[in-house]
Amino acid sequence: MKKVFLLLAAVACIAVSCKDKEEKGPVLTPDQNKETLDETMTKAVEMLEVENWQSTADLITASLEVFQSIEASDASYEEWIEGQSIETTLRDEEPYEYLIDLSKVNGKVSIKDNKVYAEAGTGLSVAYNLADGTAVDGKITVKNSKTTALIDTDYNNNWDADGNLNQTLWSKTYLVIPASIDAVVNAGGKKAFSAKITTDVNMAGEEPKPTDTFAATCEVSADKYTFAVTRAKYSQTEVVVNASIKYDKQTVVAATFEAKGKIETTEDGTDIDPLTSTGNVKASFGILDNIVIKGDLNWTEISKLVNAERGNTEAEAKALAATAEKYMNLTLYIQHTAQAKLGWEAYIPYQDESMTVWSIQPVVRFEDGSDYMLPEAFFNEANFPKTVEAVNKALAEMNAFLGGGEEEEVEPLK
């Protein structure tokens, strides 16, 4: 149980914000909050259960049976497959250089009477019938950007007479980054699956670095589900992510994350240095438009806090908790009304006859003045029995689906 709610707390750095013009509900008691949270999270978990995307799972299983039943290839397919190559040799001596271009795969592949055929075409498409006669067709189209990135390097390892390792570059592999990838699968004349990914990458060198810029979108739909990243952007002054999961047009979870400031890099410029970076972060996480956790964080001050030398006394722990609370603000909204805030308190994680260790721990404080240490004192089976039951059921179903058999026992959440 602890792992689930720690995960929920982590993704609280991505979600829907409260709607300013929504009608606000009443301030609830802690018990009413627990009941509302339990009911809402249970409903969200049930929406994401395996049985709700069973038709997609059945289509995958039936399609695999078709592919596994192929007994022979037509001459047209053999000729087509020989002409397909996504890899081009740029340099044919050490160090070798290769270029991967996903847009080069084009053609129409069909399966009939356990035999596979092929012909020329734009993009890669496939058509076949399932065992019950349902017609299935799918297509993937890749459009290239103007950016090429180094994605792999291989080295030869040699040891000299003294046992010293000497490495020489053997090969380099590059990828033409797709500007877009579109995929669609139809079954029985209806769309069963679709995906669209777009990218916009600007690189100064052949390898991606924190000083480059990146933007992307992604939308994947299957059955009644839609997973979307409507905005993902990275630069040295801004990081933004907007994402959501919808079921039958209802938003199950939605997330937003926005950081503005200055992202610093390590001396060699290859990695981000989080402790010298500065700025402010705003984020939120929403469930079924009924529960929203949102807040902000002053990363400039938090970095100073992390870098500062600290002792281990009660007074120092209390001072640290007060500072963390000042620069980390997180509020729980239920029915568009603020119900509780995240705070920090000093506590003793370890103590024996020779020493006492002081640290800080998050605490949720409700509007009526009551509070609970997180996560165990609040997020537990006693407070959220329906959520625990729903999560355990979903995990068992997922385990059975991935194992291809009956539901198996999994270690229950507590």
Side-chain angles (χ1 to χ4, degrees):
M1 186 64 184
K2 177 179 178 181
K3 293 180 180 178
V4 171
F5 287 104
L6 284 176
L7 177 61
L8 288 175
V11 271
C13 286
I14 38 180
V16 294
S17 59
C18 278
K19 298 178 181 178
D20 296 334
K21 295 183 180 180
E22 288 286 355
E23 182 178 348
K24 292 184 177 181
V27 175
L28 306 177
T29 67
D31 285 340
Q32 289 173 325
N33 277 309
K34 292 176 194 173
E35 183 178 356
T36 304
L37 286 166
D38 196 23
E39 293 283 353
T40 304
M41 290 189 294
T42 299
K43 184 177 179 181
V45 171
E46 290 174 344
M47 284 183 171
L48 301 176
E49 288 179 353
V50 171
E51 62 185 25
N52 291 335
W53 41 277
Q54 189 62 52
S55 61
T56 298
D58 291 342
L59 176 60
I60 294 173
T61 301
S63 295
L64 288 175
E65 291 177 356
V66 173
F67 300 147
Q68 292 169 351
S69 69
I70 296 174
E71 298 175 352
S73 300
D74 182 72
S76 62
Y77 178 78
E78 298 293 345
E79 182 179 348
W80 175 80
I81 203 70
E82 287 181 6
Q84 298 301 306
S85 177
I86 63 172
E87 184 176 276
T88 300
T89 301
L90 302 178
R91 180 184 170 92
D92 59 2
E93 60 181 351
E94 294 188 37
Y96 296 96
E97 292 187 357
Y98 305 101
L99 178 66
I100 295 177
D101 182 350
L102 301 177
S103 70
K104 283 190 173 183
V105 181
N106 292 283
K108 297 180 180 180
V109 178
S110 59
I111 302 171
K112 299 177 183 179
D113 301 324
N114 300 334
K115 194 172 184 179
V116 58
Y117 303 81
E119 60 182 285
T122 302
L124 176 63
S125 63
V126 61
Y128 54 91
N129 288 339
L130 302 179
D132 64 2
T134 300
V136 178
D137 63 88
K139 185 171 184 176
I140 298 177
T141 303
V142 177
K143 294 181 179 179
N144 283 338
S145 69
K146 296 180 180 180
T147 303
T148 300
L150 177 66
I151 60 171
D152 186 49
T153 53
D154 286 328
Y155 293 87
N156 276 327
N157 295 329
N158 299 294
W159 284 264
D160 60 23
D162 297 324
N164 299 313
L165 174 63
N166 297 311
Q167 289 187 321
T168 57
L169 182 62
W170 167 257
S171 69
K172 301 169 75 173
T173 303
Y174 298 87
L175 170 70
V176 181
I177 298 177
S180 66
I181 300 176
D182 286 275
V184 62
V185 175
N186 301 304
K190 297 181 179 180
K191 184 166 67 174
F193 170 87
S194 67
K196 182 177 179 63
I197 300 171
T198 67
T199 67
D200 183 6
V201 182
N202 291 299
M203 292 171 47
E206 63 179 19
E207 295 184 76
K209 293 183 179 180
T211 50
D212 299 324
T213 62
F214 171 84
T217 64
C218 173
E219 182 172 293
V220 178
S221 297
D223 274 347
K224 296 181 179 181
Y225 289 100
T226 300
F227 168 77
V229 177
T230 54
R231 188 184 182 200
K233 180 181 179 181
Y234 167 85
S235 71
Q236 281 194 283
T237 59
E238 184 180 31
V239 179
V240 179
V241 177
N242 295 335
S244 66
I245 299 176
K246 292 184 178 181
Y247 174 71
D248 199 18
K249 297 183 179 180
Q250 182 174 12
T251 301
V252 183
V253 293
T256 64
F257 176 92
E258 180 179 310
K260 291 185 177 181
K262 177 63 175 176
I263 296 176
E264 300 290 347
T265 61
T266 52
E267 289 185 6
D268 59 6
T270 58
D271 294 298
I272 294 173
D273 187 346
L275 297 185
T276 61
S277 297
T278 58
N280 292 287
V281 177
K282 293 182 179 180
S284 60
F285 177 78
I287 304 175
L288 295 176
D289 198 34
N290 191 42
I291 298 171
V292 175
I293 303 172
K294 75 171 184 175
D296 57 80
L297 179 151
N298 186 323
W299 188 252
T300 303
E301 297 299 328
I302 295 298
S303 295
K304 293 178 183 178
L305 193 64
V306 174
N307 284 321
E309 292 187 9
R310 298 188 298 273
N312 193 36
T313 66
E314 179 181 6
E316 288 165 334
K318 288 182 176 179
L320 178 62
T323 304
E325 198 163 315
K326 180 179 180 181
Y327 296 114
M328 298 175 65
N329 302 300
L330 198 63
T331 302
L332 167 67
Y333 294 84
I334 296 179
Q335 298 174 6
H336 310 290
T337 303
Q339 304 287 353
K341 285 185 176 294
L342 177 72
W344 296 87
E345 288 187 0
Y347 84 114
I348 301 174
Y350 177 79
Q351 185 177 37
D352 60 22
E353 295 179 355
S354 62
M355 65 181 297
T356 298
V357 176
W358 282 92
S359 185
I360 63 173
Q361 186 168 336
V363 59
V364 59
R365 299 195 181 101
F366 287 92
E367 292 295 322
D368 67 355
S370 61
D371 58 45
Y372 297 81
M373 297 291 276
L374 295 176
E376 290 88 349
F378 187 67
F379 293 122
N380 54 53
E381 188 173 10
N383 289 337
F384 299 96
K386 295 179 181 179
T387 301
V388 172
E389 182 181 357
V391 170
N392 285 331
K393 179 175 180 289
L395 289 175
E397 289 179 351
M398 179 62 71
N399 188 61
F401 171 71
L402 295 175
E406 298 296 325
E407 290 188 18
E408 301 176 20
E409 282 195 24
V410 295
E411 184 178 351
L413 296 173
K414 297 179 180 179

